[in-house]
Amino acid sequence: MSPDRHVVAVFGGACAGSTAADILGAHGVDVVVFEQNARPYGKIEDGLPRWHRDQRRMEYRRIDARLSRPGVHLVPNTRLGTDLQFTDVVHWGWSAVLLANGAWRDRPLDLPGAERWVGRGLVYQNPFIYWFNHAPEASYRGPRFEVPPGAICIGGGLASIDVVKVFQLELYGRVLRDRGIEVSMYDLEHAGIPATCRAHGIEDPHQLGVADSWLVYRRRVEDMPLAQAPPGATPEQVAKTEFVRRKMLAKAQEKYLFHMRPQAIPLSLLIEADHVAGVRFMETQLQGGRLVEQPDHTFELRSPLVVSAIGSLPEPIPGIVMKGTFYDYADWDTGAYAPVSGVFGVGNVVTGRGNIKASEHHSKDVAAYLVEHYLGVQGEEAPRTVEGLFDQASARGEAAAAHVVTYLSEHPPLPAAQAESLLARVRARQQSVGYQDYASWMTRVTPPDAE
Ligand SMILES: Cc1cc2nc3c(=O)[nH]c(=O)nc-3n(C[C@H](O)[C@H](O)[C@H](O)COP(=O)(O)OP(=O)(O)OC[C@H]3O[C@@H](n4cnc5c(N)ncnc54)[C@H](O)[C@@H]3O)c2cc1C
């Protein structure tokens, strides 16, 4: 029989989960990675818009390498909260349990009755980008969206800029096709709309008559969370960050032509014929850093598609205790979950977002540089590598793994029989989902037309 050893369960197999699994595996720990989807690529596959083609492929390969390491056992198609219950699985006898399940719940739009209109003109950012990424696959069966003229996005962070870019790429791609000009989404995104039009003899894209889409943000352009000042920033650093934000937005608008309306919050959805027809907004002002509503200044934007991109949060899972919108952590740095010792959050699940913060590896300028590349506002010639953005999730996975390694070193390994019995349960589940080994599973579940 094999020796006594640690066996750790990880829920979520993407950036953070696979990194932690890889490191624990390298320490001789058996790691069981439960992943809700068939493919373990998380936000990289479903949240990072598919025009980041090379970046996605590279990240896929990195995740593949981590999850195919000996000692790492993937259990796909197994969702915590549905196929396994937290209050049960946490007591199976693991050495430790890691929650690496990301942030997939859209922050709800705080408008009276808004939830009634979801799917009838109101769409959240996560399913919208999921559609954009997967709709070209023949096997896609989810909801389909048609981007109408003047579509509206409520937000202000990177994800909201992704959404308006999708709007514009869809609108201009369609109008160019209607004129017999075939341009791939990749080329349009890469070169930008005005340059693509010029290359096809259209000097002014406005002559195409597209009603450009809208991004509406509650604060000023200078406040958009696109670049972050370092903690304790000097007034000069704050001013520079604000300048970078303005510049990034201006470049994105220059390349993709969307309208931006800062300093406005949604008041109510406009409804016509049982469908969203637009949004009524109220202007805001900033007074001493505080947002002050201007009830006498309202306006309407009309469109049958409104995408809310105001943040992603960890999903509530039955049995996991929440503190507000997050899980109940005793320590935000280690991700230690307060109610049960030996349970740790890792990656986006901890804060709900990967906040680009100044760190040893990612100074403010590096972060701004990465985001500019992420947004594709660096000009046509610049290389499109946004690797560092995802390195942050991996870095958090590494940091969490280090805490778990310390935790494990303070606890005796599981007796061999207990480790074996855990792995027997794992094998049974793998068998029931039809999983044998990583390479053949991935070949089987990857759609032939997946990008
Ligand atoms: C628009 C955008 C902006 C970004 N901004 C930043 C940024 O500012 N800073 C930064 O560091 N990174 C950013 N990123 C990069 C990226 O989102 C994350 O850093 C990284 O992908 C998070 O990895 P994760 O493993 O924590 O979460 P995810 O990639 O979300 O992986 C979670 C995994 O858990 C699985 N899962 C979920 N629920 C369950 C369950 N109940 N049971 C089992 N499995 C489950 C999911 O299927 C998924 O595979 C951004 C990405 C995008 C698309």
Side-chain angles (χ1 to χ4, degrees), residues 109-117 266-269:
L109 189 61
D110 187 18
L111 289 182
E115 296 309 302
R116 271 186 60 205
W117 303 102
L267 265 184
S268 59
L269 293 172

Side-chain angles (χ1 to χ4, degrees), residues 285-338:
Q285 275 188 5
L286 274 186
Q287 288 175 9
R290 266 187 50 246
L291 202 71
V292 180
E293 299 180 352
Q294 305 292 301
D296 295 336
H297 294 85
T298 63
F299 64 96
E300 289 178 0
L301 290 178
R302 299 186 74 83
S303 173
L305 179 66
V306 177
V307 176
S308 175
I310 56 172
S312 292
L313 301 167
E315 283 186 315
I317 290 185
I320 296 188
V321 179
M322 309 282 292
K323 215 180 199 172
T325 44
F326 299 109
Y327 299 166
D328 182 7
Y329 296 108
D331 181 335
W332 288 80
D333 289 330
T334 62
Y337 173 68

Side-chain angles (χ1 to χ4, degrees), residues 11-17 34-37 39-44 47-49 78-81 100-104 125 158-159 162 315 317 346-349 354-356 374 389-390 392-393 396:
F11 291 92
C15 265
F34 295 97
E35 166 57 49
Q36 66 177 358
N37 292 329
R39 282 160 46 102
Y41 302 138
K43 279 264 149 139
I44 309 285
L48 175 70
T78 303
R79 179 174 161 79
L80 183 65
N101 47 305
W104 286 92
Q125 175 258 335
L158 275 186
D162 283 344
E315 283 186 315
I317 290 185
V346 33
N348 276 11
V349 76
N355 45 346
I356 295 174
Y374 180 84
L389 203 58
F390 292 91
Q392 294 169 62
R396 291 199 303 271

